[in-house]
Amino acid sequence: MNTEKIKTLEKLLDTIEIVENARSIDGLTPEERVQLEEASVSLRNVERSIIRVKTNKLVETLTADAVALDKLADEINHSAEKLAGVAKAIEKASNIVKAFVKLAAKAISAGLI
């Protein structure tokens, strides 16, 4: 479980870096800037949740966070072609979080956590 947690955190940090770099792109609209800010905050919330929470609450929290990330990725993807790569990175992070949620749920149900 710790190995998966570390891998998930590493992927999230990579995605956070992509989002933060995208925030410096010239010519972003105010809406795009807000979307990137929301994505950054959501990704950091997921990161903190993985680090802090160790129970069934982790599954609930991360499931909600993954849904929020999917929504943000979709919004960013539709807002501008220049942010399509950022949206793909967020989608990928969301999928990684979902995989971690499944693993955490199995570990919890097996009594490992």
Side-chain angles (χ1 to χ4, degrees), residues 72-103:
L72 284 168
D74 190 50
E75 289 173 5
I76 290 170
N77 199 26
H78 285 86
S79 71
E81 283 186 33
K82 62 188 166 203
L83 297 179
V86 174
K88 289 292 180 198
I90 294 170
E91 287 174 22
K92 194 174 184 181
S94 176
N95 289 334
I96 290 165
V97 170
K98 288 176 190 173
F100 183 74
V101 166
K102 286 181 185 177
L103 180 65

Side-chain angles (χ1 to χ4, degrees), residues 32-50:
E32 291 166 341
R33 291 193 184 282
V34 168
Q35 289 171 335
L36 290 172
E37 175 67 21
E38 289 175 357
S40 181
V41 169
S42 291
L43 289 164
R44 294 211 183 268
N45 286 341
V46 170
E47 175 191 26
R48 282 189 294 277
S49 294
I50 290 172

Side-chain angles (χ1 to χ4, degrees), residues 12-29:
L12 283 171
L13 290 173
D14 290 344
T15 306
I16 289 168
E17 184 177 345
I18 290 168
V19 170
E20 292 301 318
N21 288 337
R23 292 174 70 188
S24 66
I25 294 173
D26 289 333
L28 291 175
T29 66

Side-chain angles (χ1 to χ4, degrees), residues 1-12 50 96-97 99-101 103-104:
M1 183 67 163
N2 281 336
T3 302
E4 289 303 318
K5 184 176 179 178
I6 291 168
K7 287 180 185 178
T8 302
L9 286 170
E10 287 173 352
K11 299 287 184 182
L12 283 171
I50 290 172
I96 290 165
V97 170
F100 183 74
V101 166
L103 180 65

